[in-house]
Amino acid sequence: MAVLSLFRALHLLVVVFAIIAVAAPTPILVRINDDPSPNDPAVQEHLRKQAELIETERHRGQDWEFRATLSPIAQQAEEIVAAIRQYEINHFWRKAGGYGLEENERFAGMMFAKAKPLIPSTKLWDIVSRMPKGSLLHAHPSALLGFERVFNIILETEGMVITSSQDVSTEVSAQNASISFAHVNNITAVAQQVNASIHSPEYIPGTLVPVTLAADAFPGGREGFINFLMSKVTVSPEEAVRHDLGVDAIWRDFQKCFDPAGSALTYEPVMRKFYQYLFEGFVDDGISWAEFRSGGSAKLVPEGQETANPDLEFWIRVMLDELQKFQKTEKGSKFWGIKLIWSDARSLDRPTIIDHMKKAIERKQHFPDIFGGYDLVAQEDLGRPLSDLAPELIWFQNETAALNLTMPFFFHAGETLGDGNSTDDNLFDAVLLGTRRIGHGFSLYKHPLLMDMINEKKIMIEVCPISNEVLRLNTDIMHHPMPAMVSHGVAVAISNDDPAILGQDGPGLSYDFYETIQGFDDVGLGGLGAFAHNSIRWSNFEDQNQDDWVRDINLGATGTGIKAKRLQEWQTQWEAYCQWIVDEYSDWNATIGIQ
Ligand SMILES: *[C@@H]1O[C@H](CO)[C@@H](O)[C@H](O)[C@H]1NC(C)=O
Ligand SMILES: *[C@@H]1O[C@H](CO)[C@@H](O)[C@H](O)[C@H]1NC(C)=O
Ligand SMILES: *[C@@H]1O[C@H](CO)[C@@H](O)[C@H](O)[C@H]1NC(C)=O
Ligand SMILES: *[C@@H]1O[C@H](CO)[C@@H](O)[C@H](O)[C@H]1NC(C)=O
Ligand SMILES: *[C@@H]1O[C@H](CO)[C@@H](O)[C@H](O)[C@H]1NC(C)=O
Ligand SMILES: *[C@@H]1O[C@H](CO)[C@@H](O)[C@H](O)[C@H]1NC(C)=O
Ligand SMILES: *[C@@H]1O[C@H](CO)[C@@H](O)[C@H](O)[C@H]1NC(C)=O
Ligand SMILES: [Zn+2]
């Protein structure tokens, strides 16, 4: 009660003062002829200081050095691209939907799954797809080549069969069924035993069906069949935008894709074609070098056989054979090659990981130029944290050091929304264990001390913007922390992670590059160039001890080794590309009819 009456008394007092204030005559303090003016020296001084401050801060950005040394042609190209980007933001992307037509709403930076069908009709896409992109440093090979291509290869390959854990006659059963592929030698015999294909309610679970038979009998024919298969190995655009369902849900869907995807890639002739299209896809997209996170225990069924070759090195020889064949072609002569980062599932128990690490060491001894590092994969939030894996990891370091083998770490870390839980803390382990790059590092921007250490130790972050979005860390490109990292001086390069599953469809980097330049005002062509340049600076071209590795990163194109040579080669491609932009687009205003 006492409090209430005190409040009322105060209220009354305020009202009284207000009345007095209104009643009292106010002296006129404004002088004549003193309107706010943009030409006022104080205003000019403020604007000058603001521009200066922005410029000073830019110097801290990791991309600053590259951008400050752009050639005159590159600067011209950057201006043209900036104008085209802005034009498309205003005239292509900004479109209101309206009541009942919300799905028609368009805006720059909208969710990738919704933007994707529109992107290829932009000029910015045209420009980005031609860019020389340097190296693809973070990718999982079975999720790289678009699956429509893979399934068409399977349909064209003699003897391929499909089997399903249940018939797929209803929507629910089609969603629930596990499918897999195999090769048989006598396809006629298999075909004779089939009386109901997988789409029929009479299908007996587990029965082998020739893929061509299954495809032709499928409702909607081959197209219907491929659409069904696609649903088993891709995250659909509808699922991709369901951020309300959270990270664990999308990871369950995502992880489910790998079994059918893996089984589609177990027959040698299919794999050979897979690599041919993959390597061509890289060069077509301006990628010159690729490093794969790859489980080394894949087994392959040799051509004309039904069971896998137990030799763990068979698939490596097949891959290298295709690589060498490709590099002998005109297109392939531009491709520098590939490296494998041996990767184990982070959920495995200690004895199994140690067993796999021993296999990794053997493979490194047999293929010293192909295996270049070690990592752990699959959902970081639910897997064992690096601190729990420390005994295995430190054992591995000891063992490789004793054998004089260079197998540094390239850890996935901080691929999480957490801050201060064990997933986020993986970043600390990664830095302390001497990782040379970090996959994702999505939560890194919350750690100023770690960012300082990462800059000092020359660790680079492999940023995968579309993967992070579809796996529900950022709702869209605008909510990605990449600009925070870059402006703190952290080196980043752009990667695509699992493009065949997550929606980019092909092995190229163009969609991830497009999202980056389109989404962020401060990236620009020069920023994209800086990230491509970083991808080569941090490529693992050859075995090097830590000192030599850091030395070559620091020297960049002025060094004497293989890295410097490739940076110089890229620089030549980059200048030619900038010249192409200038030639092609300097009068773009005229072509779209504006002055
Ligand atoms: C889904 O698949 C599992 C495993 O094959 C099976 O046990 C279950 O009965 C299936 N559920 C439905 C609704 O088909
Ligand atoms: C394949 O199977 C069919 C039907 O069982 C049989 O007639 C044919 O001889 C077999 N072919 C071979 C090469 O074994
Ligand atoms: C499939 O055909 C075999 C004989 O070829 C027959 O014994 C069997 O009953 C048939 N199964 C179905 C489900 O029609
Ligand atoms: C690694 O080697 C050091 C000495 O070189 C030894 O003290 C340590 O116990 C070893 N750790 C493991 C996990 O093997
Ligand atoms: C270790 O390997 C490197 C090449 O990777 C070689 O130059 C060096 O001589 C080797 N050192 C020993 C002690 O074998
Ligand atoms: C860390 O936090 C994020 C955000 O809440 C969560 O998604 C993730 O599962 C957490 N990780 C662990 C190991 O609890
Ligand atoms: C194109 O038009 C924009 C907007 O009118 C203008 O700012 C820009 O300078 C023009 N660029 C070229 C290359 O003509
Ligand atoms: Zn990954």
Side-chain angles (χ1 to χ4, degrees):
M1 280 304 276
V3 174
L4 200 66
S5 42
L6 184 66
F7 180 77
R8 281 197 186 134
L10 276 172
H11 186 228
L12 203 67
L13 217 61
V14 169
V15 171
V16 168
F17 275 122
I19 291 167
I20 293 170
V22 169
T26 345
I28 295 170
L29 293 172
V30 179
R31 288 165 288 148
I32 315 266
N33 287 337
D34 202 13
D35 288 339
S37 159
N39 298 324
D40 186 305
V43 173
Q44 290 296 309
E45 175 68 359
H46 167 78
L47 295 177
R48 194 189 54 72
K49 280 189 182 153
Q50 188 250 24
E52 198 178 282
L53 195 52
I54 290 173
E55 184 61 17
T56 307
E57 195 196 49
R58 280 220 174 105
H59 286 215
R60 293 207 198 176
Q62 196 273 340
D63 56 346
W64 184 79
E65 197 180 325
F66 181 86
R67 301 180 71 169
T69 53
L70 288 179
S71 70
I73 288 292
Q75 285 176 36
Q76 210 181 325
E78 184 171 58
E79 278 167 31
I80 292 170
V81 171
I84 290 176
R85 171 182 177 273
Q86 192 58 49
Y87 177 81
E88 289 182 339
I89 288 176
N90 298 341
H91 297 92
F92 178 81
W93 288 109
R94 189 173 289 138
K95 290 237 157 51
Y99 291 120
L101 297 168
E102 287 79 8
E103 283 305 306
N104 294 346
E105 184 82 24
R106 270 195 208 173
F107 59 97
M110 64 200 274
M111 286 175 136
F112 173 68
K114 294 191 159 189
K116 190 189 168 228
L118 302 168
I119 289 172
S121 51
T122 64
K123 281 195 166 41
L124 192 57
W125 168 259
D126 216 39
I127 291 168
V128 167
S129 13
R130 285 189 184 235
M131 179 172 165
K133 299 185 181 71
S135 306
L136 169 61
L137 297 181
H138 188 120
H140 303 265
S142 63
L144 270 173
L145 184 66
F147 283 107
E148 217 170 304
R149 174 76 77 195
V150 173
F151 295 137
N152 276 307
I153 295 172
I154 287 179
L155 281 167
E156 285 157 14
T157 303
E158 181 76 27
M160 295 305 291
V161 294
I162 184 172
T163 166
S164 178
S165 63
Q166 61 189 107
D167 74 73
V168 302
S169 60
T170 68
E171 202 174 313
V172 173
S173 65
Q175 268 175 26
N176 190 54
S178 306
I179 54 160
S180 63
F181 299 91
H183 173 260
V184 297
N185 284 334
N186 192 337
I187 195 82
T188 320
V190 169
Q192 279 172 3
Q193 280 153 26
V194 176
N195 27 25
S197 182
I198 58 167
H199 69 279
S200 156
E202 263 97 65
Y203 174 74
I204 299 159
T207 312
L208 304 181
V209 181
V211 280
T212 48
L213 195 160
D216 294 333
F218 208 82
R222 289 203 175 197
E223 200 188 326
F225 181 65
I226 291 206
N227 287 345
F228 161 70
L229 296 181
M230 290 302 280
S231 76
K232 305 305 281 182
V233 293
T234 54
V235 170
S236 70
E238 294 74 27
E239 283 172 286
V241 299
R242 289 297 305 271
H243 277 247
D244 53 332
L245 297 178
V247 172
D248 291 351
I250 193 69
W251 267 90
R252 278 195 302 272
D253 292 344
F254 172 53
Q255 209 82 61
K256 265 196 300 208
C257 299
F258 282 94
D259 278 347
S263 98
L265 300 171
T266 49
Y267 184 49
E268 181 191 346
V270 174
M271 275 323 271
R272 286 186 179 276
K273 287 224 175 81
F274 169 90
Y275 287 123
Q276 290 160 16
Y277 282 114
L278 185 63
F279 298 145
E280 279 192 22
F282 286 154
V283 173
D284 287 343
D285 195 58
I287 296 168
S288 303
W289 170 261
E291 297 187 20
F292 299 151
R293 300 302 204 282
S294 187
S297 315
K299 284 191 193 144
L300 215 49
V301 177
E303 174 155 23
Q305 296 188 28
E306 300 187 341
T307 49
N309 188 332
D311 180 357
L312 288 180
E313 296 178 351
F314 177 56
W315 74 272
I316 305 169
R317 290 196 299 270
V318 167
M319 181 184 71
L320 290 179
D321 187 40
E322 287 304 327
L323 177 66
Q324 280 150 13
K325 275 200 292 199
F326 177 64
Q327 285 179 313
K328 285 191 190 118
T329 66
E330 201 201 322
K331 190 184 265 187
S333 64
K334 297 179 201 150
F335 192 62
W336 299 331
I338 61 169
K339 204 85 165 181
L340 302 180
I341 298 170
W342 182 287
S343 303
D344 286 320
R346 61 192 328 126
S347 54
L348 297 177
D349 61 21
R350 191 154 293 162
T352 313
I353 293 219
I354 293 293
D355 178 57
H356 287 199
M357 285 173 159
K358 287 179 181 159
K359 291 198 172 88
I361 288 170
E362 265 175 42
R363 299 290 91 71
K364 173 68 180 172
Q365 286 168 324
H366 296 175
F367 296 93
D369 299 334
I370 289 300
F371 288 92
Y374 184 86
D375 187 15
L376 294 143
V377 295
Q379 190 178 0
E380 206 183 324
D381 281 322
L382 301 186
R384 292 171 61 196
L386 292 178
S387 54
D388 189 47
L389 286 150
E392 291 93 315
L393 296 168
I394 289 170
W395 175 87
F396 184 74
Q397 276 182 326
N398 274 9
E399 201 69 10
T400 49
L403 294 165
N404 191 28
L405 296 173
T406 309
M407 281 288 265
F409 295 132
F410 292 87
F411 288 127
H412 278 71
E415 187 185 9
T416 183
L417 290 175
D419 63 324
N421 68 11
S422 64
T423 326
D424 182 39
D425 289 349
N426 279 340
L427 289 166
F428 291 87
D429 299 271
V431 170
L432 289 173
L433 289 166
T435 197
R436 287 190 177 180
R437 303 191 305 249
I438 289 176
H440 300 291
F442 187 88
S443 62
L444 178 66
Y445 72 104
K446 301 168 187 174
H447 299 287
L449 175 62
L450 278 184
M451 283 193 283
D452 288 348
M453 289 175 77
I454 276 169
N455 294 345
E456 195 237 329
K457 291 173 182 289
K458 297 287 167 200
I459 298 169
M460 196 208 69
I461 312 299
E462 304 155 351
V463 172
C464 308
I466 295 174
S467 164
N468 294 158
E469 175 180 329
V470 176
L471 297 177
R472 297 185 186 155
L473 297 184
N474 51 299
T475 48
D476 50 59
I477 186 68
M478 314 292 242
H479 290 78
H480 197 282
M482 180 201 296
M485 296 190 228
V486 176
S487 60
H488 277 89
V490 175
V492 310
I494 300 169
S495 285
N496 59 15
D497 208 6
D498 303 279
I501 296 179
L502 296 177
Q504 302 99 312
D505 287 345
L509 281 165
S510 286
Y511 281 109
D512 288 274
F513 271 58
Y514 181 91
E515 289 282 284
T516 304
I517 188 171
Q518 204 291 310
F520 300 123
D521 285 318
D522 204 24
V523 169
L525 187 69
L528 277 195
F531 302 151
H533 187 255
N534 284 344
S535 74
I536 303 171
R537 272 177 85 193
W538 271 269
S539 287
N540 187 15
F541 292 122
E542 57 180 336
D543 280 355
Q544 288 185 306
N545 63 34
Q546 183 64 17
D547 288 348
D548 292 351
W549 167 256
V550 171
R551 180 206 58 208
D552 278 2
I553 289 170
N554 286 332
L555 287 175
T558 65
T560 50
I562 186 162
K563 185 167 283 180
K565 189 171 158 283
R566 286 181 177 159
L567 280 164
Q568 291 156 16
E569 263 179 66
W570 178 83
Q571 194 74 39
T572 309
Q573 296 169 12
W574 164 254
E575 289 303 328
Y577 167 68
C578 291
Q579 183 67 59
W580 170 79
I581 293 175
V582 171
D583 293 345
E584 191 79 9
Y585 286 104
S586 54
D587 60 350
W588 70 276
N589 279 359
T591 68
I592 56 175
I594 61 157
Q595 297 314 311

